[in-house]
Amino acid sequence: MADLNILHADMDAFFSAVEQRENPELKGKAVIIGGVSLSNRGVVSTASYEARKFGVHSAMPIAQARKLCPDGIYLPARHGLYKESSREIFNILKKYTPLVEKLSIDEAFLDVKGCERLYGHPVEIAKKIKKEVKKKTELTISVGVSVNKFLAKLASDFDKPDGLTIIKKDDVKSFMYKLDIDKIWGVGNVFAAKLAEEGVYKAGDIWSYSLEELKDKFGKAGVKLFFLSRGMDNREVKSQSEIKSISHEETFIDNISDQDKLFAYLFKMSEKVSFRLHSNSLKGNTIFIKVRYSDFSTYSRQKSLKVAVNSSEEIYQIAKTLLNKDNLLKKPLRLLGVGVANLCSEGKEQLNLFADEDDHLDQTIDELKRKYGFDKISRARKLYLNNDD
Ligand code: TTP
Ligand code: MG
């Protein structure tokens, strides 16, 4: 039987909880954190649970939030403060296991296998983490405990705020059966609408489809859906030092020969890779690309650099050179991928005395993405793609 070794921990209403801690008068009130400037054209970073009762949520335009919750307290984001709390929280998590995979400023996966002798059963560890976070930071964290990453993440979300939810192997079936289909990773609005056309609303509704059927209908996304709808997920928790490379690839529904479109995709993917590198405070010395043609022949190319990089523009430019060099775009592509390997922690890399302004631009874009949600912000080049691309 699979053991309850995987934890997912996620701070509750993180930015607003920090503000409520800093100013106790805000406790119990509807607190809404906007961008740095809080203009009406900006969007909500997060809202306290009190504000969520009015329907306010992350990525909602501030103007709309003000209509829903006119008496709310609107505050600009203070990222330095949140980063400081985040550091404190991760220091606590790392005490219980070296296997902590950071997902964002306020959430992480932990694999606590083998830590029982020191810290007790995984549920005990979850309780200890909650208690210690509360004591040291005066903030609450929700923790999910289960047999894999996917289920642990669903569990931490199940009873927010200040939740502790355990999904045992024996409970997986009943838990998944009634789960809304859009709670499954990879099922966004477009996919959920397509599934609704088929009469699929809950994870259990997909169980009658065979793996082949789902693969034929939806390709790779269908395969993922088959397994995740049953609560099956075999991905391992990876600590930062174990991450060997960060990459992104896309298989196209129709093969693409239009170079401008391919470069637009390449840029979009470079941005995603850069965002994940920044989120993990990593840089890398090797850029690689991968292409696959309609006959499934696959080629990759890589370039090693003297200086580690993580800006989207650098990744994009080097990847583009690699694609152009051997005329790899001579035939239509079925798949395109880009990645960065030979990773090192930011700050520990060799100093590049000639670093240009691009890093700063990237950092600003990253901040905006964190604030506004990934797809809201992009440089003009990506506008070449449709929203669905
Ligand atoms: P989340 O963990 O998604 O949200 P949360 O911690 O505010 O609330 P929950 O209790 O549901 O976990 O994100 C963590 C922080 O990241 C959040 O406090 C603010 C920031 N953030 C944004 O700036 N923009 C966004 O669109 C989202 C989702 C989060
Ligand atoms: Mg959170």
Side-chain angles (χ1 to χ4, degrees):
M1 195 188 94
D3 300 312
L4 287 171
N5 282 325
I6 311 298
L7 272 57
H8 179 260
D10 186 341
M11 300 299 292
D12 303 314
F14 186 46
F15 292 4
S16 40
V18 173
E19 295 294 346
Q20 285 175 322
R21 177 193 66 193
E22 294 300 299
N23 179 1
E25 278 179 24
L26 299 177
K27 285 200 175 136
K29 297 199 175 136
V31 176
I32 294 131
I33 311 298
V36 190
S37 72
L38 243 202
S39 85
N40 257 2
R41 280 177 302 159
V43 296
V44 173
S45 282
T46 195
S48 66
Y49 277 78
E50 293 83 355
R52 291 184 199 192
K53 287 187 194 139
F54 295 86
V56 179
H57 58 75
S58 296
M60 171 183 277
I62 294 278
Q64 194 184 344
R66 284 195 197 273
K67 277 189 199 138
L68 290 171
C69 187
D71 296 328
I73 296 155
Y74 291 79
L75 300 172
R78 294 193 285 173
H79 290 284
L81 200 58
Y82 315 142
K83 274 191 188 150
E84 213 176 284
S85 286
S86 172
R87 247 194 308 275
E88 237 180 313
I89 292 149
F90 276 89
N91 284 338
I92 296 171
L93 299 180
K94 282 185 212 151
K95 262 178 50 181
Y96 290 92
T97 171
L99 274 178
V100 176
E101 181 176 333
K102 182 175 178 181
L103 296 177
S104 74
I105 188 164
D106 83 325
E107 70 178 303
F109 283 117
L110 287 78
D111 185 338
V112 296
K113 189 166 191 243
C115 306
E116 291 207 8
R117 220 162 46 90
L118 273 177
Y119 299 108
H121 185 270
V123 177
E124 284 310 308
I125 295 181
K127 285 182 185 162
K128 283 181 183 161
I129 287 172
K130 286 176 66 68
K131 204 167 152 188
E132 195 172 341
V133 167
K134 187 78 204 273
K135 189 169 166 209
K136 292 211 170 119
T137 70
E138 295 171 53
L139 300 168
T140 60
I141 189 164
S142 290
V143 183
V145 186
S146 193
V147 295
N148 63 40
K149 281 175 146 183
F150 174 59
L151 290 167
K153 186 160 162 89
L154 287 176
S156 77
D157 192 46
F158 188 72
D159 192 26
K160 265 181 168 286
D162 205 10
L164 171 59
T165 302
I166 299 132
I167 306 178
K168 294 189 192 127
K169 179 109 196 297
D170 290 346
D171 301 332
V172 173
K173 210 169 167 185
S174 57
F175 186 88
M176 291 307 300
Y177 184 72
K178 48 188 187 305
L179 189 82
D180 288 337
I181 200 78
D182 62 359
K183 290 266 180 188
I184 292 186
W185 279 342
V187 181
N189 291 344
V190 178
F191 198 6
K194 249 196 234 173
L195 290 167
E197 278 171 26
E198 302 252 343
V200 172
Y201 299 96
K202 304 278 177 184
D205 296 337
I206 212 84
W207 294 354
S208 55
Y209 292 75
S210 71
L211 178 59
E212 286 67 35
E213 268 176 293
L214 289 176
K215 196 174 169 190
D216 286 349
K217 270 186 201 292
F218 307 116
K220 227 163 72 178
V223 175
K224 238 163 86 181
L225 193 59
F226 178 88
F227 290 106
L228 292 181
S229 68
R230 288 164 171 78
M232 291 162 80
D233 174 20
N234 61 5
R235 290 162 313 140
E236 286 177 6
V237 175
K238 290 199 171 132
S239 68
Q240 195 161 305
S241 58
E242 275 184 293
I243 304 175
K244 295 273 180 280
S245 66
I246 286 183
S247 62
H248 194 86
E249 60 180 47
E250 288 195 31
T251 303
F252 307 122
I253 294 169
D254 300 312
N255 298 336
I256 301 180
S257 51
D258 178 344
Q259 293 212 354
D260 286 337
K261 189 156 190 180
L262 286 167
F263 288 140
Y265 266 111
L266 184 70
F267 189 73
K268 183 176 98 167
M269 291 190 273
S270 302
E271 277 192 319
K272 289 193 175 172
V273 170
S274 165
F275 182 68
R276 283 172 56 204
L277 287 165
H278 280 302
S279 299
N280 286 286
S281 308
L282 292 168
K283 289 189 161 196
N285 285 82
T286 304
I287 311 291
F288 58 90
I289 53 109
K290 177 171 156 188
V291 295
R292 179 170 293 148
Y293 300 111
S294 54
D295 61 359
F296 280 85
S297 57
T298 306
Y299 299 87
S300 51
R301 294 284 184 275
Q302 64 175 58
K303 183 175 170 62
S304 291
L305 313 164
K306 285 204 183 76
V307 178
V309 299
N310 62 2
S311 85
S312 56
E313 189 62 32
E314 281 167 308
I315 297 167
Y316 169 72
Q317 289 300 346
I318 294 159
K320 195 173 166 191
T321 315
L322 287 169
L323 281 173
N324 280 328
K325 208 168 116 205
D326 291 334
N327 211 5
L328 289 169
L329 302 183
K330 62 182 181 301
K331 288 190 289 181
L333 293 194
R334 177 186 162 77
L335 173 147
L336 177 62
V338 58
V340 177
N342 264 326
L343 304 177
C344 55
S345 291
E346 227 172 349
K348 291 204 180 124
E349 82 279 9
Q350 223 181 322
L351 263 186
N352 177 5
L353 297 175
F354 306 102
D356 56 26
E357 291 299 305
D358 215 44
D359 265 4
H360 301 294
L361 180 58
D362 248 27
Q363 264 167 22
T364 314
I365 290 179
D366 272 359
E367 288 292 309
L368 290 170
K369 278 179 187 155
R370 282 195 191 95
K371 262 177 270 157
Y372 300 152
F374 192 87
D375 288 322
K376 301 281 184 299
I377 292 288
S378 179
R379 293 191 214 172
R381 198 161 345 190
K382 234 173 72 183
L383 299 177
Y384 190 83
L385 300 176
N386 299 324
N387 274 341
D388 289 348
D389 284 335

